[in-house]
Amino acid sequence: MPITTVGLDADDTLWHNETLFRLTHKRFVDLMSDCAEEATLESRLAEVEKRNLRLYGYGAKGFTLSMIETALELSGGKVSNRVISEILAAGRDLLAHPMEPLSGVEAAVATLAEQYRLVLITKGDLLHQEQKLAASGLGDHFAAVEIVSEKDADTYRRVFSRHGTGPEQAAMAGNSVRSDILPALEAGSYAALIPYPLVWAHEAAEAPTDHPRYAQLETLADMPAWLAHLEE
């Protein structure tokens, strides 16, 4: 069956995201350096983030709240107003950071949009993800945008049935094995991993290298050729 629909992840597939979060992590560690060692700060923040995902979801706002919560826990509630203010400022900077597509992404997205029904499928805060897409200049290439709370097989079945001809005639591309690859394959789609140098620990998973519908591509620019090869 021909591929009719292509789903693309947003963060770290179309534009930088994890790099910015890592820089904000570093600001938090520096701010809290008098309270705990770096390893302790990183470990506790990761625990709090994971615990809060079901409440806050993914994104900069939830991350900022988790930093504040971690600061309060590690300081026994004695963290200064100055540190809280600095954490809030770091969160605002994360939300307001200029958005620029990764190298080669604009041309690749334009090419894919000419040949397939293109759908953006991303997790994160609704308002922030919409703002990033608008700032990227890529929005007009997408036939649909789905900002979801989680990416699982049912998500891909629903999205590719709603905006395409079903998951079996769709391909998903992204940088997360856990969110972009494994559930898309489970739904019956093709899936292409486009690695980003940094991966959030929560998104780490083993790539299904022996799966017949899976491929690892160097960049998004390689996807049109891969899809064309699948249809030969």
Side-chain angles (χ1 to χ4, degrees), residues 101-124:
L102 295 169
S103 178
V105 159
E106 289 181 88
V109 169
T111 298
L112 290 167
E114 290 175 356
Q115 302 174 43
Y116 306 95
R117 187 178 293 109
L118 208 55
V119 183
L120 185 72
I121 308 173
T122 181
K123 295 186 294 188

Side-chain angles (χ1 to χ4, degrees), residues 20-21 24 59-62 64 88-99 125 127-129 131-132:
L20 306 179
F21 272 80
T24 307
K61 294 176 185 176
T64 301
L88 288 170
R92 284 193 297 271
D93 288 346
L94 191 57
L95 286 165
H97 195 280
M99 190 52 52
D125 176 77
L127 177 61
H128 193 208
Q129 293 299 84
Q131 290 172 335
K132 287 193 283 188

